[in-house]
Amino acid sequence: MSNRAGAIEALRRAATAASLPAPMRDEEQRRRELELQQLRDRLRRNLRDISDQRQLLVDQERHENGYTSAVGRGASRLDAVQL
């Protein structure tokens, strides 16, 4: 039980420390942060593009399955009347 209480206290301290204002950062750290933000933005755009492409493929597959199903029903009807 004391391990749990200790873990909770450590999390509280970390949360409090994280909410404190950050000290002034040096130029290198700011540059790196900007690079990471740009990378994040680029990756988000890529993810959005991939998600859009995936949705197009899912829609296309759904339409193709509908067409295949309709053709199958038509073939079954023709088979039923022996054509």
Side-chain angles (χ1 to χ4, degrees), residues 53-70:
Q53 291 173 7
R54 180 189 175 281
Q55 188 59 49
L56 286 172
L57 291 172
V58 167
D59 291 343
Q60 182 178 356
E61 180 183 26
R62 187 179 55 227
H63 292 306
E64 287 175 359
N65 287 340
Y67 175 77
T68 302
S69 178

Side-chain angles (χ1 to χ4, degrees), residues 20-32:
L20 296 175
M24 288 297 294
R25 298 182 179 132
D26 64 353
E27 191 62 34
E28 179 64 24
Q29 187 174 0
R30 280 186 238 147
R31 185 190 60 74
R32 180 67 178 142

